[in-house]
Amino acid sequence: GIQVEQSPPDLILQEGANSTLRCNFSDSVNNLQWFHQNPWGQLINLFYIPSGTKQNGRLSATTVATERYSLLYISSSQTTDSGVYFCAAQTNSGYALNFGKGTSLLVTP
Amino acid sequence: GAGVSQSPRYKVAKRGQDVALRCDPISGHVSLFWYQQALGQGPEFLTYFQNEAQLDKSGLPSDRFFAERPEGSVSTLKIQRTQQEDSAVYLCASSLEPGLAGYYNEQFFGPGTRLTVL
């Protein structure tokens, strides 16, 4: 099946800093999503982005499907951005979202 | 409802007991998914329903796991004769359209049920 790799695995930022999280995937996708898992375990939808670029406030994402990667940009980070960020991809041959191992982000005051 | 809901939120079972976990998807959503998330890992796919039809159960780890969605809305994941390795968070997700290429299939997740088997 498809392999989804995220980097970096861990990230510590000071409040106000910017960051880029990367997701590489090994096959063509028809669905790619970014999630933020908060400390209570809830997966919060950030972006549905099988291709192209989207922005939502301080967050933006870009997926280059032909090169099989996606990037999540966080600008002016806040302590509430802390948590685990997951990338998940679905291929044309299946129904499942295949998740990466996540990037654990800690934003310090 | 406004989002996907799951119950119970927490379940403690003794090894060998049967458990049933419930998922209420977003109203009108055709697709329903179950995932299992072990501590420190990403969620892993268990099974997929399109309306009442279970189209993919390739991720169910053993025949002790059974899922149903008899009327195409609420779903139940049942685990028989629970074992310690079943301890995990069980997540339900739904999407508006069929989970195939060409459809808008953004998945929305519930809060999960944390199962602990003693």
Side-chain angles (χ1 to χ4, degrees):
Chain A
I2 187 172
Q3 303 300 312
V4 179
E5 296 183 353
Q6 293 186 242
S7 60
D10 302 280
L11 187 58
I12 301 176
L13 298 175
Q14 200 157 22
E15 204 167 20
N18 303 328
S19 63
T20 301
L21 280 57
R22 186 176 179 102
C23 173
N24 293 332
F25 43 93
S26 62
D27 201 350
S28 300
V29 300
N30 63 59
N31 178 2
L32 189 130
Q33 293 185 240
W34 283 97
F35 297 92
H36 175 210
Q37 191 163 44
N38 66 20
W40 296 271
Q42 176 73 55
L43 280 168
I44 299 166
N45 289 38
L46 297 178
F47 294 101
Y48 171 79
I49 188 165
S51 64
T53 297
K54 292 185 177 180
Q55 181 160 6
N56 184 4
R58 295 181 297 103
L59 303 182
S60 63
T62 295
T63 297
V64 184
T66 53
E67 297 186 21
R68 298 184 181 171
Y69 72 88
S70 184
L71 302 174
L72 177 69
Y73 305 96
I74 306 174
S75 64
S76 304
S77 58
Q78 301 177 357
T79 56
T80 52
D81 295 333
S82 297
V84 182
Y85 289 78
F86 286 105
C87 168
Q90 177 190 5
T91 69
N92 293 337
S93 60
Y95 300 102
L97 271 179
N98 299 273
F99 283 75
K101 294 184 182 298
T103 292
S104 181
L105 173 64
L106 176 64
V107 181
T108 61
Chain B
V4 179
S5 61
Q6 294 186 244
S7 61
R9 292 294 313 280
Y10 302 91
K11 177 69 178 177
V12 178
K14 292 183 179 178
R15 190 171 52 185
Q17 283 184 333
D18 298 348
V19 298
L21 312 180
R22 177 187 170 106
C23 172
D24 281 86
I26 295 172
S27 178
H29 276 201
V30 165
S31 294
L32 186 145
F33 306 80
W34 285 98
Y35 292 82
Q36 180 190 60
Q37 186 174 21
L39 192 63
Q41 303 295 316
E44 293 191 354
F45 172 78
L46 294 177
T47 188
Y48 167 68
F49 289 87
Q50 183 175 308
N51 296 308
E52 69 279 2
Q54 189 175 20
L55 299 185
D56 187 346
K57 52 183 180 179
S58 62
L60 295 177
S62 78
D63 58 9
R64 297 185 296 103
F65 286 71
F66 172 77
E68 60 183 4
R69 193 186 185 198
E71 298 180 359
S73 55
V74 171
S75 177
T76 304
L77 176 67
K78 298 179 180 179
I79 309 173
Q80 297 177 326
R81 305 181 303 282
T82 52
Q83 301 180 6
Q84 286 189 322
E85 59 262 32
D86 300 334
S87 296
V89 175
Y90 290 86
L91 295 166
C92 176
S94 70
S95 65
L96 179 62
E97 297 186 357
L100 294 169
Y103 290 92
Y104 176 71
N105 49 18
E106 181 178 8
Q107 295 185 28
F108 297 87
F109 283 76
T113 294
R114 182 177 297 277
L115 173 65
T116 302
V117 182
L118 303 177

